[in-house]
Amino acid sequence: TADDGSATETEAQPEQPAEPPVTRIRVKGGVVAGDVKSIEVAKGDTVRIVVSSDVDDEIHLHGYDLEQEAAPGKPARFKFKADVEGAFELESHAAEDAGKEPLLARLLVGPS
């Protein structure tokens, strides 16, 4: 048998575009649970972020000006194309309103 490591015709599958990874962020009591996330992508990549919160909140991605509502059991979901290079902050309005640190994550978009 030929065992040269090459795939046979039946094993070859059409290329499926990979689903972009999902960054999951948890907010407890209006502040991020754990460390502030750093999300690094290349320009043109699809970005997916899911923010779950135990309080009613509004999650805002500066620079892209995207806002999503979050509530207990109803996470804020972001899915967008990173078409602007730079560093952008994802913040919790509930934390900001309570005088707490609002920063949940930094999105860093580099050249493609």
Side-chain angles (χ1 to χ4, degrees), residues 45-95:
D45 284 357
T46 298
V47 178
R48 293 173 66 201
I49 305 169
V50 176
V51 182
S52 56
S53 177
D54 61 356
V55 296
D56 287 344
D57 201 347
E58 193 170 84
I59 311 300
H60 183 195
L61 180 60
H62 293 272
Y64 281 83
D65 242 4
L66 298 173
E67 286 187 2
Q68 294 289 341
E69 300 285 327
K74 190 171 182 278
R77 297 179 185 277
F78 294 87
K79 184 176 180 182
F80 61 95
K81 188 174 186 145
D83 55 6
V84 181
E85 288 179 35
F88 307 96
E89 296 186 335
L90 184 71
E91 293 187 334
S92 156
H93 284 196

Side-chain angles (χ1 to χ4, degrees), residues 86-111:
F88 307 96
E89 296 186 335
L90 184 71
E91 293 187 334
S92 156
H93 284 196
E96 198 169 40
D97 294 346
K100 298 177 181 170
E101 173 54 58
L103 186 63
L104 303 177
R106 278 189 188 85
L107 172 65
L108 306 170
V109 182

